Amino acid sequence: MGREQWKKIWVGSAGNMVEWFDWFVYASFAVYFADAFFPKGNDTANLMNTMGIFAVGFFMRPVGGWLLGRVGDRRGRKAALTLTVTLMSASAVLIAVAPTYAAAGYGGIAVLLVARMLQGLSVGGEYAASATYLTEASAPGRRGFASSFQYVSMTAGQLLGLALQIVLQRSMSEQALHSWAWRIPFIVGALGAGIVFYLRRSMLETEVYAEDDDAQNDPDRGTMKALWAHKREAFLVIALTMGGTVAYYTYTTYLTKYLSGTAGLSKPTASLVSFCALFLFMCLQPLAGALSDRIGRRPLLITFALGSTFLTVPIMTLLKHAGSFWPALGLSLLALVVVTGYTSINACVKAELFPTGIRALGVALPYAIANALFGGTAEYVALWFKNGGIESGFFWYVSGCAAVSLVVYLTMRETRTIDLNRMGKPHSDGGTDPDRVLAS
C-alpha cells in the first residue's frame, strides 16, 4: 500500500476517531451526568431517560445518512467528511455548556436533545462517508485491511474517552465528576473536531470517485431514485447490520454499565476492563481485515454470527458472576473476538454492494436505519429488561438478532472480488455479474 493511500486512510481515520470519541463519551459518562438533567429520584430511571436521549441520536442517523450520503455521492467523499466533523464539533460544544436541571429545569434537557440530534446527523453520514472513502482509497486486494481502520479509529475514539474517564476517576472525587467534571470530555471533543476539520480540508479525493465519468455525469447520483434501483442491496445492508450492531453496542458502550451495575465491579475497575478489552479488540481489526482479503468476507461474518448466536447467553451470564478484573477481562475479550468477525469487514462489504454513484447513500441510509432500530436502542432495551427484573431476557434478544443476520450471511455471495469500477459489468476474467450478492 503506497504512501498516498496511507495518507488518505490516516486522514479519514483521524476524523472518524474524533467523531466516535464524542459519540461514545456521552454513553460512558452518562452514569455521572444522568442526575444533572432530571429530578433526583430513581437512578436507573434517570439513566434510562438519559440513554433514551442517546437513542434519539440514532433515530436522527437515517436523516444524516440520507443528507450526507447525498452530499458524498454528488459533491464527493471529502465534502461529506468535512461536513460531518463540523456538525459533531457543534454538538460537543452544546453538551459542554448545557445547563443542569437545577439551573434551568427541563431547558437543559432541550439543549441536550438538540446536541444529540446534531450528533445523530453527523454520525449518520460519517459511517458511510468514511466506509466509502477507506474502501475506495485502497488497492483492490487490500480493501478488507484498509476498511478495517474504520473500527480501529472508532475504537480508538472510545478508548480515548475511557482513558479520560479513568484519569478523571482517579484524579477527581465522585462529587466533582457528578457536578461539573463530566463536561471535560465534551470540551476535549470539540477541540479535537477543530483539528480534524483543518486536516480534512486538505484531504485528497478517492480516485474511484474522481475518475468515474459515468457517476459524475449521472443526474440521479446520490438520489432516492438511484437507491431504489438497488433496493435489494439496501435491504441486505439492513439485515446484515442487525446482529452486528446489537452485539457491538452490547460489548462496548453497555459493557461498562453492566459490569458496574450488575456484576458488582467498581466503576473504575469496570472502566479498566473495558479499556483493556477494547485495546486488544482494536489491534485485531487489521488482522481480521487482512484475513478477509485472503479467504473472503463470508467466513468471518458467519463465524461472528454463529458465535454471537450461541455464546452471548453464556458469556453475559458468566460476566454477571465474574467478581474481579481478570475473569471479567477474559470474558469481555472473548466476546469482542467474536464481534471482530463483523466489525473488521462490515464497512467494505457494504461499500462493495453499490456502484460509485450511489455508494455513499447506499451504505449510509440502510445502515443508519438498522442502527436506529437495533444499535441505538440496545442499551435502552437492556436497561428496560433490567428494570423489569428479567435482565437475562436481553441476552436472548442479542442472540436472536445475531441469528437473523446468520441467515443473511449464509445466503450472501462473496463480495471480495468485486471490481468497484465495473459494478454491474462482467469481470475481465469472465466472472459473473458483481451486482449479484445473494445466492440464487
Side-chain angles (χ1 to χ4, degrees):
M1 189 172 289
R3 181 178 179 181
E4 205 63 42
Q5 290 178 328
W6 276 113
K7 181 180 179 181
K8 291 178 180 179
I9 290 173
W10 155 243
V11 175
S13 297
N16 203 35
M17 179 178 66
V18 174
E19 292 269 5
W20 287 94
F21 171 87
D22 287 342
W23 184 261
F24 281 114
V25 291
Y26 181 99
S28 61
F29 278 84
V31 293
Y32 293 110
F33 67 76
D35 290 339
F37 294 100
F38 297 94
K40 301 293 183 182
N42 187 321
D43 290 343
T44 300
N46 284 348
L47 185 58
M48 284 182 67
N49 289 332
T50 306
M51 296 318 299
I53 295 177
F54 180 76
V56 168
F58 277 86
F59 283 99
M60 289 302 296
R61 286 175 68 165
V63 181
W66 167 74
L67 176 64
L68 295 165
R70 179 182 174 87
V71 171
D73 285 328
R74 297 187 72 85
R75 302 293 182 183
R77 319 311 188 200
K78 174 183 173 180
L81 287 168
T82 304
L83 182 55
T84 59
V85 78
T86 302
L87 293 172
M88 185 61 78
S89 178
S91 66
V93 171
L94 282 176
I95 296 175
V97 301
T100 64
Y101 179 82
Y106 288 106
I109 299 174
V111 174
L112 196 64
L113 187 61
V114 170
R116 285 298 299 168
M117 291 172 71
L118 287 177
Q119 281 190 336
L121 286 173
S122 176
V123 176
E126 171 67 23
Y127 174 87
S130 60
T132 301
Y133 190 87
L134 291 172
T135 302
E136 291 182 348
S138 60
R142 305 298 298 276
R143 293 198 299 253
F145 173 77
S147 64
S148 71
F149 282 88
Q150 184 181 48
Y151 270 82
V152 170
S153 58
M154 286 173 62
T155 307
Q158 186 176 4
L159 284 173
L160 288 174
L162 282 172
L164 182 56
Q165 185 179 44
I166 291 170
V167 170
L168 293 177
Q169 285 171 334
R170 300 192 186 291
S171 61
M172 295 187 173
S173 67
E174 189 84 2
Q175 181 180 1
L177 285 169
H178 280 276
S179 64
W180 63 271
W182 60 264
R183 299 180 187 272
I184 293 176
F186 299 103
I187 296 173
V188 172
L191 294 174
I195 295 173
V196 174
F197 175 80
Y198 173 78
L199 292 174
R200 282 188 167 177
R201 288 186 63 188
S202 60
M203 72 192 301
L204 301 173
E205 187 59 82
T206 66
E207 292 180 4
V208 171
Y209 179 83
E211 297 178 0
D212 192 327
D213 293 334
D214 290 339
Q216 298 289 345
N217 297 324
D218 183 3
D220 291 331
R221 68 186 188 280
T223 65
M224 294 300 295
K225 177 181 178 181
L227 181 60
W228 186 250
H230 296 275
K231 55 184 178 294
R232 192 181 189 188
E233 290 81 3
F235 285 115
L236 178 61
V237 169
I238 294 174
L240 68 86
T241 300
M242 178 182 177
T245 191
V246 170
Y248 177 73
Y249 281 100
T250 297
Y251 294 119
T252 54
T253 58
Y254 180 65
L255 180 66
T256 306
K257 301 178 184 64
Y258 182 74
L259 291 175
S260 62
T262 299
L265 274 65
S266 66
K267 289 178 182 177
T269 300
S271 296
L272 186 60
V273 168
S274 294
F275 182 88
C276 294
L278 285 170
F279 178 79
L280 294 171
F281 170 74
M282 179 181 68
C283 295
L284 288 174
Q285 303 307 301
L287 299 177
L291 179 63
S292 78
D293 286 328
R294 296 182 63 88
I295 67 173
R297 321 297 190 211
R298 289 181 68 248
L300 272 70
L301 291 171
I302 292 171
T303 299
F304 149 71
L306 285 170
S308 291
T309 299
F310 296 106
L311 295 180
T312 294
V313 174
I315 288 175
M316 295 297 285
T317 302
L318 290 172
L319 272 174
K320 183 177 181 179
H321 304 287
S324 61
F325 174 82
W326 289 108
L329 176 61
L331 290 167
S332 301
L333 185 58
L334 173 61
L336 287 171
V337 168
V338 171
V339 175
T340 295
Y342 167 80
T343 56
S344 61
I345 59 172
N346 82 96
C348 67
V349 169
K350 293 162 188 170
E352 288 167 345
L353 298 179
F354 299 94
T356 303
I358 194 60
R359 186 168 293 131
L361 180 61
V363 175
L365 185 56
Y367 174 79
I369 290 172
N371 265 273
L373 294 175
F374 304 105
T377 58
E379 288 195 72
Y380 193 83
V381 170
L383 291 169
W384 181 82
F385 274 112
K386 180 180 179 179
N387 206 41
I390 47 173
E391 191 169 21
S392 61
F394 176 67
F395 313 158
W396 291 101
Y397 169 76
V398 177
S399 297
C401 290
V404 173
S405 288
L406 174 60
V407 175
V408 177
Y409 304 151
L410 289 171
T411 56
M412 283 179 64
R413 288 193 58 194
E414 182 57 58
T415 63
R416 175 174 61 97
T417 57
I418 285 177
D419 184 346
L420 296 183
N421 289 311
R422 296 178 60 85
M423 296 294 290
K425 303 174 184 178
H427 285 292
S428 58
D429 61 2
T432 57
D433 182 355
D435 269 354
R436 289 187 63 201
V437 294
L438 292 176
S440 56

